[in-house]
Amino acid sequence: VKKIIIGIDAMGGDFAPSEAVKGAVQLVQSNQELVPLLIGQKPAIEAELIACQVNPSDFQIVHAEEVIGMSEHPTKAISQKKNSGINIGYHLLAKGEIHAFIGAGNTGAMMVGALFSVKPIEGVMRPALTSILPKINGEFGLLVDVGANADCKPEVLNQFAVLGSLFYKTVYSANKTARVGLLNLGEEKEKGNALTLATYPLLENNDRIQFIGNVEGRDLFSDKADVVVCDGFTGNIVLKACESMYYHLMKRNIKDEYLDRFNFKHYGGTPILGVNAPVIIGHGISKADTFVKMFLLAGEVVKTNMIEKIKAAF
Amino acid sequence: VKKIIIGIDAMGGDFAPSEAVKGAVQLVQSNQELVPLLIGQKPAIEAELIACQVNPSDFQIVHAEEVIGMSEHPTKAISQKKNSGINIGYHLLAKGEIHAFIGAGNTGAMMVGALFSVKPIEGVMRPALTSILPKINGEFGLLVDVGANADCKPEVLNQFAVLGSLFYKTVYSANKTARVGLLNLGEEKEKGNALTLATYPLLENNDRIQFIGNVEGRDLFSDKADVVVCDGFTGNIVLKACESMYYHLMKRNIKDEYLDRFNFKHYGGTPILGVNAPVIIGHGISKADTFVKMFLLAGEVVKTNMIEKIKAAF
């Protein structure tokens, strides 16, 4: 079995390095194929490994002196903190010394780092972030973009449709083709804002995707589409609004199988779609079991050759 | 007691004229101040009144031969169906023969009819629609706009803030000043898309409102802001997404006081903010008790002189 080495920003996330390291330990105890490489402040990482009752010398650790905080300005932090775990991780990824890189730290810095180091795939205008849409029928949809690109041109949304479709088909649906919907305020072709009106014909004429037309906010959790594209402003707001509904209801002790599927922890982050190497960004409040899922998702992206498939499409 | 005459498009809504007429009957049985004036196909209205075991001659009815369907093109329908209930209602409203007009029919036609007949208040660039945001603390917020204006300029969002504040203060909060938030993908002033970045300084320098800065999707149900402004595209999508989460959870038989507050039926529609007379638009699936709430909301808008207050602000 070929080993897949997955770098992790061990200092990334609200409970770093503890939960990230615990996640790596849990991974190796249950998986022989994926090998974590821990990047961050070595003494802190070793202390956490010892706390987990494992031998630090059994783990690959790369020391990174600096840490990028959750609220630092992404571009400034990436430019200035050359010895941060995020920068060193991307350096290793660009050199091919790790097969994938995961982190639950500053999302903006993870994004900027990817654009600076492994870079967008040639032809991809704007890499995107996705989020899972829990469908009422038990399946999943994907929303693209959820915040990486606040303002988008129609051509960019058209690319999101291709990126999302390839991710869905390759990683989530066992090669079933994704039905793509355009998020809009009405179903009819002639409804929309300037952006969606201009995007609709591009999607309609894009033979690399299966476009099913406009979908409304109310269709996000139905089985109408598998991949829903929108600008990152809209995607970010609708995602956070639904997450907050979930959060408020969960705090009220509602136990429901469907409601629970809105808990991000089941999904283990999202790849940056459209860059030259596998990168998974996780939620800042991820705990160990969610880090395990991030490793597994990164492994899937590597094993399914998703990056090569995207490259071939652009 | 001065009587307030409220016209209702009796043929508007998915269960018309039955539920609209029942709502009018329920109103007069519980309220002496508000007088419904039923507009629509007289024979059908009279038959419903008889079915409600009341005397049709006790009700004011204005015959309207034509009916605008839920899926008709708004501008076309308003231009061509001069004898529709919506057109006749607005005609009566513009002449001052009714004090307010309510309807749960084609939302676009209700909106276009208002713009053509009672017209925007001088100085108001784009009248807006609002929706209730049920806050976790038991209070309400307002989202403006939720779909009337798909594309908005910064100056338009700035006006939404004034319109929403006046509505909130006058009708919902017993004169407590509204805290206004700008819906955005981050809290920091420098975050946003082109629209919100340009809108922020306008709101910051608008001394007719109490601006508290950006609010995120996750803040919609918290007590951070009372009035949240956004373009109608974003507002429509986030509203429908949250409504659909409510709907799916409600169908799963979750009984929860907070979740139940997402049921539109408690609120009785929304005024068109920024036109020269009181107009309330209701949800197509409204039943009789929701029509009663629409009458009551229209009565509040009349009694509190909301229109005059908005006129004075522009």
Side-chain angles (χ1 to χ4, degrees):
Chain A
V1 181
K2 192 195 152 214
K3 299 281 185 185
I4 296 170
I5 304 170
I6 300 173
I8 176 169
D9 170 22
M11 315 307 284
D14 295 348
F15 311 108
S18 164
E19 296 294 330
V21 172
K22 272 188 214 159
V25 171
Q26 284 183 23
L27 177 76
V28 297
Q29 285 166 351
S30 60
N31 188 301
Q32 273 72 57
E33 194 179 11
L34 309 180
V35 178
L37 181 142
L38 296 153
I39 306 162
Q41 292 176 328
K42 202 167 181 179
I45 293 170
E46 287 178 338
E48 286 297 337
L49 288 168
I50 289 164
C52 289
Q53 300 182 295
V54 293
N55 188 342
S57 63
D58 290 344
F59 285 80
Q60 300 189 39
I61 305 172
V62 171
H63 181 65
E65 188 61 36
E66 292 174 294
V67 175
I68 293 177
M70 292 302 267
S71 56
E72 285 192 56
H73 187 277
T75 316
K76 209 180 280 179
I78 288 293
S79 305
Q80 293 172 354
K81 291 188 168 173
K82 293 293 177 204
N83 292 316
S84 62
I86 294 180
N87 264 322
I88 289 174
Y90 277 121
H91 180 70
L92 296 172
L93 186 64
K95 284 204 300 178
E97 294 187 13
I98 54 179
H99 297 102
F101 182 46
I102 72 175
N106 185 314
T107 299
M110 284 293 287
M111 191 77 196
V112 170
L115 300 180
F116 280 14
S117 60
V118 291
K119 296 193 170 63
I121 287 168
E122 207 182 318
V124 173
M125 288 179 274
R126 306 284 293 264
L129 293 176
T130 76
S131 179
I132 288 281
L133 298 167
K135 289 185 190 175
I136 193 76
N137 70 353
E139 296 182 4
F140 297 109
L142 293 174
L143 187 64
V144 191
D145 176 59
V146 293
N149 307 282
D151 289 293
C152 294
K153 292 179 187 166
E155 295 76 18
V156 168
L157 290 195
N158 194 27
Q159 290 198 341
F160 290 169
V162 177
L163 291 169
S165 293
L166 283 166
F167 175 42
Y168 177 83
K169 186 175 176 175
T170 308
V171 175
Y172 279 103
S173 80
N175 281 316
K176 186 165 77 82
T177 298
R179 294 161 298 166
V180 175
L182 174 62
L183 191 57
N184 209 335
L185 45 62
E187 288 189 333
E188 301 85 350
K189 183 176 175 174
E190 59 279 5
K191 289 248 174 108
N193 62 5
L195 174 63
T196 58
L197 289 171
T199 303
Y200 194 105
L202 301 183
L203 294 171
E204 210 174 16
N205 294 312
N206 185 341
D207 53 21
R208 291 176 301 167
I209 60 163
Q210 185 188 335
F211 182 52
I212 57 114
N214 291 323
V215 298
E216 297 185 62
R218 69 166 63 97
D219 303 317
L220 286 175
F221 311 113
S222 73
D223 192 35
K224 213 168 157 187
D226 302 306
V227 169
V228 177
V229 296
C230 64
D231 65 90
F233 182 87
T234 306
N236 178 279
I237 284 166
V238 74
L239 172 67
K240 286 181 183 165
C242 292
E243 276 183 357
S244 88
M245 259 187 87
Y246 158 75
Y247 173 80
H248 290 309
L249 293 168
M250 185 266 294
K251 292 270 279 183
R252 293 176 66 82
N253 285 315
I254 295 174
K255 307 283 180 218
D256 179 75
E257 214 175 293
Y258 179 64
L259 181 65
D260 183 58
R261 293 179 58 223
F262 283 87
N263 189 335
F264 78 93
K265 78 172 188 180
H266 302 311
Y267 308 112
T270 165
I272 304 179
L273 293 178
V275 293
N276 281 299
V279 179
I280 308 292
I281 298 182
H283 210 300
I285 54 173
S286 293
K287 295 290 188 85
D289 54 345
T290 304
F291 278 104
V292 172
K293 294 204 167 81
M294 288 170 65
F295 279 115
L296 296 176
L297 178 58
E300 280 305 301
V301 171
V302 173
K303 288 190 281 179
T304 56
N305 284 315
M306 189 183 83
I307 305 293
E308 296 309 314
K309 287 174 183 166
I310 293 177
K311 280 182 189 172
F314 282 89
Chain B
V1 181
K2 191 194 152 215
K3 299 279 184 185
I4 297 170
I5 303 170
I6 300 173
I8 176 169
D9 171 22
M11 315 306 284
D14 296 347
F15 311 108
S18 164
E19 296 294 331
V21 172
K22 272 188 214 160
V25 171
Q26 283 182 25
L27 178 77
V28 298
Q29 286 166 351
S30 59
N31 189 301
Q32 272 73 56
E33 194 179 11
L34 308 181
V35 178
L37 181 142
L38 296 153
I39 306 161
Q41 292 176 328
K42 200 167 183 179
I45 292 169
E46 287 179 337
E48 286 297 337
L49 288 168
I50 289 163
C52 290
Q53 300 181 297
V54 294
N55 188 343
S57 64
D58 290 344
F59 285 79
Q60 300 188 37
I61 305 173
V62 172
H63 180 66
E65 188 60 37
E66 291 173 295
V67 175
I68 293 177
M70 292 302 266
S71 56
E72 283 192 58
H73 187 278
T75 316
K76 210 180 280 180
I78 287 293
S79 305
Q80 292 172 354
K81 292 189 167 171
K82 293 292 176 204
N83 292 316
S84 62
I86 293 180
N87 264 322
I88 290 175
Y90 277 122
H91 180 71
L92 296 171
L93 186 64
K95 284 203 299 178
E97 295 187 12
I98 55 179
H99 297 101
F101 182 47
I102 72 175
N106 186 316
T107 299
M110 284 293 287
M111 190 78 197
V112 170
L115 299 180
F116 280 13
S117 61
V118 291
K119 296 194 170 62
I121 286 170
E122 207 181 319
V124 173
M125 287 178 274
R126 307 284 293 266
L129 293 176
T130 75
S131 179
I132 288 280
L133 298 168
K135 290 186 191 176
I136 194 75
N137 70 354
E139 297 182 3
F140 296 111
L142 293 174
L143 187 64
V144 192
D145 174 59
V146 294
N149 306 282
D151 289 292
C152 293
K153 292 178 187 165
E155 296 74 20
V156 169
L157 290 195
N158 194 26
Q159 290 197 341
F160 290 170
V162 177
L163 292 169
S165 293
L166 284 167
F167 176 41
Y168 177 83
K169 186 174 176 174
T170 309
V171 175
Y172 279 102
S173 79
N175 280 317
K176 186 165 76 83
T177 299
R179 293 159 300 166
V180 175
L182 174 63
L183 192 56
N184 210 336
L185 45 62
E187 289 188 332
E188 302 85 350
K189 183 176 175 176
E190 59 279 4
K191 288 246 174 111
N193 62 6
L195 174 62
T196 57
L197 288 171
T199 302
Y200 194 105
L202 301 183
L203 294 171
E204 210 175 14
N205 293 314
N206 185 341
D207 53 20
R208 291 176 301 168
I209 61 165
Q210 185 188 336
F211 181 53
I212 56 112
N214 291 322
V215 298
E216 298 185 62
R218 68 167 62 98
D219 303 318
L220 286 174
F221 311 114
S222 73
D223 192 36
K224 214 170 154 185
D226 303 306
V227 169
V228 176
V229 296
C230 63
D231 64 90
F233 181 87
T234 306
N236 178 280
I237 284 166
V238 75
L239 172 67
K240 286 181 183 165
C242 292
E243 276 183 357
S244 88
M245 258 187 87
Y246 157 75
Y247 174 80
H248 290 309
L249 293 169
M250 184 266 294
K251 292 270 278 185
R252 292 176 66 82
N253 284 313
I254 295 174
K255 307 281 180 221
D256 179 76
E257 214 176 291
Y258 179 64
L259 181 65
D260 184 58
R261 293 179 56 222
F262 282 86
N263 190 336
F264 79 94
K265 78 172 188 182
H266 301 311
Y267 308 111
T270 166
I272 304 179
L273 293 179
V275 293
N276 279 300
V279 179
I280 308 292
I281 298 183
H283 209 301
I285 54 174
S286 293
K287 295 289 190 84
D289 54 345
T290 305
F291 278 105
V292 172
K293 294 204 166 79
M294 288 171 64
F295 279 115
L296 297 176
L297 178 58
E300 280 305 300
V301 171
V302 173
K303 287 190 281 178
T304 56
N305 284 313
M306 189 183 81
I307 304 294
E308 297 309 316
K309 286 175 185 167
I310 293 177
K311 280 183 188 171
F314 281 89

